[in-house]
Amino acid sequence: MLANHARIARMRIEAESSEQPDIDENGVRYCLDCATAIPEDRITVLPTAVRCVPCAAARERIIKQRRTRGGINADGQAQGIG
């Protein structure tokens, strides 16, 4: 349960970035990655959603992999990336 709350918090932070939702003239919101309509249930839970659940999960996995592969060392240089 706690992991779900943390994941939702991370998604909200991600969604609050500079990315703007892709909305048509009828108010339908589309995923920025795959261009499918984002379900109303997802928008109800996460009003700032700009990606569908599968694309958001894939993006989260990629971000997590990048964090675990490398970072910044004491000299301020990136390490382990690539």
Side-chain angles (χ1 to χ4, degrees):
M1 180 90 162
L2 214 47
N4 285 339
H5 289 296
R7 188 173 64 208
I8 290 169
R10 282 193 310 271
M11 289 184 342
R12 285 187 175 149
I13 290 168
E14 176 187 330
E16 291 173 2
S17 70
S18 63
E19 296 177 315
Q20 297 297 315
D22 183 13
I23 302 173
D24 70 10
E25 65 276 354
N26 296 320
V28 177
R29 190 178 302 184
Y30 295 91
C31 176
L32 295 180
D33 292 344
C34 71
T36 61
I38 299 174
E40 278 297 317
D41 291 345
R42 174 154 173 78
I43 295 170
T44 300
V45 172
L46 188 64
T48 57
V50 293
R51 289 180 176 78
C52 64
V53 172
C55 288
R59 184 176 174 90
E60 189 173 327
R61 277 192 305 276
I62 291 168
I63 290 169
K64 185 177 178 181
Q65 288 172 351
R66 287 182 183 164
R67 283 189 198 138
T68 58
R69 285 192 344 214
I72 304 298
N73 62 22
D75 297 327
Q77 301 294 316
Q79 61 186 19
I81 299 174

